[in-house]
Amino acid sequence: MPVQSLILYPDPRLRLAAEPVTVFDDALRRDAGELVEALSRVSAIGLAGPHVGWLARVVVLRLEPGMPASIYVNPQITFASDETAPQTEGSVSMPGVTDVVERAVTVRLRYDDLDGTGHEIEAEGFEAACLQHEIDQLDGIFWIERLSRLRRERAVKRYAKAKRAA
């Protein structure tokens, strides 16, 4: 999977579910490394394989600039709190557009590392929202699908206007 360029909305590939990773080898490490490079190149907080056309269940996340990226293979939310909070979200696949999405405040996540070793973590607040956002993308759910129809339509119009202005 050489990382080419970002897949931009409304590309139908953003609606495809990513396939579970079953082989943990040098190729996976190389591809995950390229995903981390893409994350840095576009100055994003999180990136899922589908953002670059790699339909594998891999997410990279860097919550703070200068920190190492965390890599989650086959991430799965095993618990989401009933308590939600608004989070401002956007996507590298729809640059220039943000809106507020309600997300669970706390999530528990099961995932594999690049060697196939299983892990479980609990995340809260911003980190929890980022993980939910990227896992949605792995499931073929683009972030604007979490908005009301009216807010989704407005987001698409803002994106179209931003593209014309660029």
Side-chain angles (χ1 to χ4, degrees):
M1 173 237 41
V3 171
Q4 302 300 320
S5 57
L6 292 172
I7 305 296
L8 297 177
Y9 181 86
D11 192 304
R13 291 175 289 178
L14 293 170
R15 302 246 195 273
L16 298 176
E19 295 292 323
V21 172
T22 57
V23 178
F24 296 83
D25 60 4
D26 288 340
L28 174 64
R29 284 184 275 289
R30 180 195 66 235
D31 293 346
E34 289 185 20
L35 194 59
V36 171
E37 287 177 27
L39 177 80
S40 297
R41 195 171 50 249
V42 298
S43 299
I45 293 168
L47 207 57
H51 283 122
V52 295
W54 182 32
L55 288 177
R57 293 191 71 80
V58 178
V59 166
V60 295
L61 206 62
R62 179 180 293 129
L63 297 177
E64 294 182 32
M67 297 299 293
S70 297
I71 301 172
Y72 304 89
V73 181
N74 298 325
Q76 177 184 10
I77 294 172
T78 59
F79 166 81
S81 65
D82 290 335
E83 180 185 3
T84 63
Q87 295 287 342
T88 300
E89 296 188 17
S91 174
V92 296
S93 293
M94 188 183 240
V97 178
T98 61
D99 209 322
V100 175
V101 177
E102 284 286 324
R103 297 282 186 182
V105 171
T106 304
V107 295
R108 196 167 303 120
L109 183 76
R110 181 177 300 133
Y111 69 97
D112 298 319
D113 61 24
L114 291 173
D115 295 319
T117 303
H119 300 271
E120 193 166 324
I121 61 166
E122 191 166 293
E124 295 183 346
F126 182 65
E127 180 181 20
C130 291
L131 288 166
Q132 291 169 81
H133 175 102
E134 298 304 338
I135 292 170
D136 271 356
Q137 187 62 64
L138 293 178
D139 293 335
I141 301 169
F142 195 62
W143 74 277
I144 61 173
E145 297 303 314
R146 297 291 184 191
L147 302 173
S148 69
R149 186 177 59 84
L150 177 62
R151 288 177 43 222
R152 185 171 48 251
E153 288 171 357
R154 287 180 181 166
V156 170
K157 286 179 183 177
R158 285 194 314 268
Y159 179 58
K161 184 177 179 180
K163 280 181 33 177
R164 283 193 305 272

